[in-house]
Amino acid sequence: NFTHEIKTPLGIIDGYIELIEETDDENKKEQYMKTIEQETSRINELVKAMLNLSRLESGKVKLSIDSVNLDDIVTSTIDSLISLIQKKEINVIVSGKDAVIQADLFEFQIVIKNFLSNAIKHTPQQGHIYITYDDKNFSIENEGSFLTEPQIKSIWDTYVSSDREGTGLGLAICKTILELHGFGYEVQNTEK
């Protein structure tokens, strides 16, 4: 799977290098270089995600469990993704207060950031995202298209992505982190 995922961007880079060598048009060269940079970044993200997943699945990860304030994680995650939220004019509605859980802060931040970035990606322009939590449950619900049954069954698997924007490893990484914590997880369609 990894080889297959990396072949496409490498093929694109190779093709654009040939185009750069064949053209004298500086504007086209600049466009080709931007595409090469994008595909190189995609490979980089894929390799980093693969290394992170391998680290988590190795069985040698020691969680640093501590009291984690969900208010802080939610606020900092929204702040880190605010440009994407504003670009799509998404309204994020948070319902949660004073919730503290026992978790590894670093690892749990990865989960929340991945869930929220997926929600942003799949929420239409001017849509809504609802974040609800207490000390027992945490959910992120976004407006958007419903998932099919095959999508729901495979969403936690590696290299599953509905577009070329992601690596297809994010939810597999989240699954592994949540399982290391002994936390339950699921995805489902809602009315919204």
Side-chain angles (χ1 to χ4, degrees):
N1 281 339
F2 182 77
T3 304
H4 175 75
E5 288 294 321
I6 211 162
K7 276 175 63 177
T8 302
L10 285 175
I12 292 170
I13 290 169
D14 191 43
Y16 277 98
I17 288 171
E18 286 179 26
L19 289 172
I20 288 171
E21 290 171 349
E22 294 173 2
T23 188
D24 292 326
D25 185 334
E26 291 302 317
N27 287 334
K28 284 187 178 180
K29 282 184 180 183
E30 191 175 319
Q31 285 178 318
Y32 299 156
M33 286 301 294
K34 283 183 183 174
T35 301
I36 289 170
E37 286 173 13
Q38 288 171 344
E39 294 302 319
T40 302
S41 177
R42 179 168 157 63
I43 291 170
N44 216 7
E45 290 303 312
L46 183 62
V47 169
K48 282 196 257 180
M50 191 67 210
L51 290 171
N52 196 19
L53 184 60
S54 294
R55 175 185 67 86
L56 291 165
E57 289 181 338
S58 72
K60 296 178 182 173
V61 172
K62 294 210 186 267
L63 297 177
S64 179
I65 303 295
D66 203 354
S67 294
V68 173
N69 186 311
L70 290 179
D71 295 335
D72 294 342
I73 293 179
V74 168
T75 301
S76 65
T77 304
I78 290 170
D79 288 347
S80 72
L81 297 170
I82 197 68
S83 62
L84 296 173
I85 293 167
Q86 289 174 341
K87 183 177 181 183
K88 289 183 81 173
E89 301 176 54
I90 293 172
N91 187 10
V92 178
I93 300 160
V94 179
S95 301
K97 191 174 171 187
D98 299 328
V100 175
I101 62 168
Q102 296 300 306
D104 182 301
L105 176 62
F106 175 77
E107 302 294 353
F108 204 70
Q109 284 175 318
I110 292 171
V111 173
I112 301 307
K113 188 167 188 174
N114 194 292
F115 285 175
L116 184 56
S117 63
N118 276 328
I120 293 166
K121 186 189 316 182
H122 297 288
T123 300
Q125 191 76 20
Q126 297 180 337
H128 294 78
I129 294 174
Y130 305 89
I131 301 174
T132 308
Y133 59 88
D134 57 32
D135 57 356
K136 301 276 186 240
N137 296 290
F138 185 96
S139 72
I140 297 180
E141 179 183 11
N142 65 287
E143 295 176 341
S145 301
F146 288 105
L147 296 171
T148 64
E149 278 304 311
Q151 287 173 318
I152 289 173
K153 287 180 182 173
S154 67
I155 202 164
W156 303 103
D157 296 342
T158 55
Y159 301 108
V160 173
S161 180
S162 62
D163 53 39
R164 285 200 67 240
E165 288 179 34
T167 62
L169 294 172
L171 291 178
I173 290 169
C174 291
K175 170 187 170 186
T176 304
I177 292 170
L178 292 169
E179 287 175 352
L180 283 171
H181 280 83
F183 294 161
Y185 57 92
E186 69 175 320
V187 63
Q188 63 183 339
N189 289 317
T190 64
E191 289 180 20
K192 298 176 182 133

